[in-house]
Each structure stands twice: as C-alpha cells, then as structure tokens.
C-alpha cells in the first residue's frame, strides 16, 4: 500500500556501514557523522548491489569522510524511500537516496496522490543507463513473444508502477501478449521466485541481471523474450525489441515515456531543503567517485555496467517527464488503472 503525507520510519531489511579514512577537504559538517543511504530496492536486487558497491567509494570523496549506512526501504516499489527522503529525512547531508524507476512514474500514472515532487529533489547523478529485458528461466515453455500471444506467462514484479509490472502489461495492451504479473516482491525475492519456480520470469534491467545473477547468463539459465529497445549486450542484443514490435506511433510514445527513467538508472538525490553548499559538495564527490578506478574495478568484478550520468542529465530527464504529452501518459495510466482495478477486485 502506498502511503501519503509524512511516513513513519520503515522497517529496514538490511544495514551495511562503510567508513572512510581520515578527514580531508573542506568540511561542510559531515566529519564524524553518519550518512544514511536509503535504497528503494530490495536486498539482493540490482539497485541494492550498485549501492553497496558504490558507498565505500563515495565516502572517500565526501569532506570529512563520514560513515555511510546503507538501508533498504523497498515498500511500494521504492516509493516509500522517496517519500521518506522528501518528507522526513534531515536536509543536513546525513541522508541520501537512490531508487528504481517506479517512483518517477507514480505522480503521472497511478491516479493516487504522492507526497513528493521529483523536481524539488537535488539530483546529484546516476550510475547507469539501462534497457529493460523480459526473461524467463530456461525451464519455461515460453520461447518468445509469439508464444506469449497464445499462452499465459507468469512474471514476478515489485511495485505497481515498476518496470517489472507495467512493461509486460503495456506489451499486453499494445501487442496482444498474455503476460500475467504478480506484484509485491522486492528486487531480491522476485529473482528467488523465478529460481523456485513460483513464476516463469521477470522484466528487469540488463544490468540488474548481470549484477544480481551473472550465473544466469554465464550458464544460459534464462531465455530472453524481448527487450524494450536495442542494446549492445552480447547476450541480449538479438532479442526482439518492444519498441519495434509496437506499430501504433502513439503507443510507441507511451512506451518511450514509461521507459525514459531507464536512461538514468540508479539515480542519487538529496532532500529538497539541502543547502546549496551541501549539494555542490555531493555532486562533486559523486562525479569523482563514479569515475574512480577502484570503483570501476569493483563494478567490473561484480558484473556492473557503470555508465555515470551527471546531475544535469538526471534533472533534464525528470523535467521531460513533466513535459510529456497527456495522451502518452493516459495510455500508460489506462493500463495501471486496469491493473489496480483487477487487484482490488481480487482482494474483495
């Protein structure tokens, strides 16, 4: 359930502390303090892996080198973390947030009021750009989109407006497939559901697959049904792309709107009331840490596709979401409303 207004402290499913070395650089009040990095992804998912890999490098570039505590807050597909950062988190530099794509779309397509404005956050950068891939375990009978047009394929999903949930439903609407999403998992458990045979597959970013389950690719344990758009990844590049299969230009525009947050995967932000000095310090530290050879080497070892984006890059994409045509938004909102109506009927 998505909460509005000021929310209470959530139950954190995992905590990891990264501490820097001796203080260095201009101090903006972080020396001797602890920074809480709120991760809107579940433990073990791609976003969580990126955050835990990045945190010990970021702390080395922050003035005062504060310890960073990583805390997962995955409720509502990451919306709970975003609302906490917006409404509750202190703006003194001791709170930082990163979230999946769902919270970027929620204000436009859910029909429910959220207690945050994406334009008010101070974006400090992003760690990647992604393409969503819908995959199934190799044990599934599903072989591609043609199979999914004639037979139901079950997919695990996270929040109601997440890529994992809405992209296959959009493809159902625009192409005529029969994907059935089961929402409510977090990033890690949605992958476990595939391995346990609870579902056949899931839609997630290519980078998340490589980060969280590299053995799925190395051992060819999964089959790719489609990707949202063209990509150069050797394992995924030959899969059919949804943007090419969809024939209606208006439907294409709707998918492009929904998938635009993929171009700023793993974005990081400070609360709206953070000072200009604090924002400057974090943006500088983020840019340095994201290009640090040690971080890039860690990312390579963990199969992370690092493609840093600047604060300006993220801010521009956010502005583009608010400038999207009402027709494109309505086409996506129609699908999300149908899903919400179905879930409500099932609960009655």
């Amino acid at each position: 359930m998505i909460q509005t207004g000021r929310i209470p402290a959530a139950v954190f499913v995992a905590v990891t502390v990264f501490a820097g070395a001796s203080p260095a650089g201009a101090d903006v009040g972080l020396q001797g303090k602890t920074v809480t990095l709120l991760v809107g992804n579940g433990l073990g998912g791609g976003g969580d892996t990126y955050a835990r890999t990045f945190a010990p490098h970021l702390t080395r570039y922050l003035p005062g080198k504060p310890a960073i505590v990583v805390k997962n807050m995955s409720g509502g597909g990451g919306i709970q973390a975003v609302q906490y950062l917006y409404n509750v988190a202190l703006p003194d530099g001791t709170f930082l947030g990163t979230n999946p794509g769902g919270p970027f779309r929620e204000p436009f397509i859910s029909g429910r009021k959220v207690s945050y404005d994406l334009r008010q956050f101070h974006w400090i950068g992003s760690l990647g750009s992604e393409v969503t891939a819908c995959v199934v375990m190799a044990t599934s009978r599903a072989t591609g989109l043609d199979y999914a047009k004639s037979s139901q394929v079950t997919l695990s999903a996270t929040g109601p407006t997440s890529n994992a949930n809405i992209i296959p439903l959009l493809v159902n609407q625009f192409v005529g497939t029969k994907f059935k999403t089961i929402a409510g998992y977090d990033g890690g458990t949605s992958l476990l559901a595939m391995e346990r045979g609870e579902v056949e597959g899931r839609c997630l970013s290519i980078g998340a697959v490589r980060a969280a389950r590299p053995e799925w690719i190395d051992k060819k344990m999964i089959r790719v049904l489609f990707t949202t758009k063209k990509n150069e990844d050797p394992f995924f590049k030959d899969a059919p792309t949804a943007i090419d299969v969809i024939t209606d230009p208006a439907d294409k525009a709707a998918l492009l709107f929904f998938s635009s947050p993929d171009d700023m995967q793993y974005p990081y932000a400070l609360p709206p009331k953070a000072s200009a000095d604090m924002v400057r310090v974090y943006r500088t530290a983020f840019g340095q840490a994201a290009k640090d050879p040690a971080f890039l080497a860690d990312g390579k070892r963990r199969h992370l596709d690092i493609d840093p984006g600047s604060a300006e890059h993220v801010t521009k994409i956010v502005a583009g979401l608010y400038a999207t045509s009402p027709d494109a938004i309505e086409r996506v909102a129609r699908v999300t409303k149908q899903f919400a109506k179905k879930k409500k009927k099932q609960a009655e």
Side-chain angles (χ1 to χ4, degrees):
M1 180 67 67
I2 298 172
Q3 302 180 18
T4 57
R6 294 179 66 88
I7 64 174
V11 176
F12 296 116
V13 301
V15 179
T16 304
V17 180
F18 300 97
S22 58
D27 196 296
V28 291
L30 294 177
Q31 184 174 356
K33 293 189 176 181
T34 297
V35 174
T36 300
L37 172 54
L38 300 174
V39 179
N41 305 79
L43 180 65
D48 178 64
T49 303
Y50 272 79
R52 293 177 186 277
T53 303
F54 185 56
H57 298 282
L58 177 62
T59 191
R60 292 189 291 108
Y61 286 97
L62 288 171
K65 298 189 176 180
I68 296 181
V69 179
V70 176
K71 294 186 175 181
N72 298 81
M73 187 184 283
S74 59
I79 291 172
Q80 193 175 36
V82 175
Q83 292 191 149
Y84 192 97
L85 188 69
Y86 192 90
N87 296 291
V88 181
L90 295 175
D92 61 354
T94 59
F95 279 88
L96 176 67
T98 181
N99 56 274
F104 284 99
R105 308 174 184 101
E106 184 73 13
F108 307 97
I109 62 177
S110 71
R112 291 171 288 188
K113 184 178 180 181
V114 296
S115 63
Y116 60 87
D117 184 330
L118 295 166
R119 295 167 294 186
Q120 300 304 311
F121 285 111
H122 296 287
W123 301 101
I124 64 171
S126 61
L127 291 179
S129 60
E130 284 289 1
V131 174
T132 294
C134 288
V135 304
V136 293
M137 301 304 291
T139 53
S140 169
R141 293 183 179 180
T143 54
L145 285 175
D146 286 341
Y147 178 94
K149 288 180 181 180
S150 60
S151 302
Q152 179 177 281
V153 180
T154 57
L155 305 172
S156 60
T158 50
T161 57
S162 67
N163 277 20
N165 190 51
I166 299 302
I167 282 181
L169 297 183
L170 287 175
V171 174
N172 284 353
Q173 185 76 18
F174 301 156
V175 180
T177 48
K178 298 180 180 180
F179 292 111
K180 178 182 179 181
T181 60
I182 302 176
Y185 293 95
D186 63 28
T189 58
S190 68
L191 304 183
L192 286 174
M194 291 174 61
E195 293 172 329
R196 293 169 178 167
E198 297 172 15
V199 297
E200 294 174 74
R202 188 196 154 174
C203 294
L204 71 170
S205 70
I206 290 173
V209 180
R210 288 199 171 276
R213 293 293 192 279
E215 68 277 11
W216 284 3
I217 295 173
D218 296 339
K219 298 179 181 179
K220 298 182 179 179
M221 298 170 63
I222 56 173
R223 184 181 303 117
V224 188
L225 301 185
F226 70 90
T227 61
T228 49
K229 56 186 177 182
K230 290 293 184 184
N231 68 93
E232 296 303 318
D233 188 286
F235 188 82
F236 297 87
K237 68 178 183 179
D238 294 327
T241 60
I243 201 65
D244 291 333
V245 174
I246 295 171
T247 57
D248 187 327
D251 289 341
K252 285 180 183 286
L255 181 64
L256 287 172
F257 155 71
F258 188 81
S259 61
S260 62
D262 286 357
D263 293 329
M264 53 171 182
Q265 280 278 306
Y266 319 115
Y268 284 69
L270 290 172
K273 294 183 180 180
S275 70
D277 284 342
M278 190 64 69
V279 173
R280 173 182 53 79
V281 161
Y282 264 92
R283 286 177 174 173
T284 299
F286 184 94
Q288 293 171 328
K291 297 177 182 178
D292 185 279
F295 169 56
L296 297 177
D298 277 352
K300 185 176 181 180
R301 281 193 294 271
R302 299 180 186 184
H303 305 277
L304 307 185
D305 185 9
I306 308 298
D307 182 20
S310 66
E312 292 75 17
H313 173 71
V314 178
T315 302
K316 182 178 179 180
I317 292 176
V318 169
L321 289 171
Y322 284 88
T324 301
S325 72
D327 178 68
I329 293 175
E330 176 55 31
R331 286 171 185 262
V332 177
R334 193 179 307 143
V335 173
T336 62
K337 289 173 183 176
Q338 289 173 350
F339 174 78
K341 184 177 181 180
K342 181 178 179 180
K343 293 297 290 184
K344 182 178 180 181
K345 185 176 181 179
Q346 290 175 343
E348 291 176 349

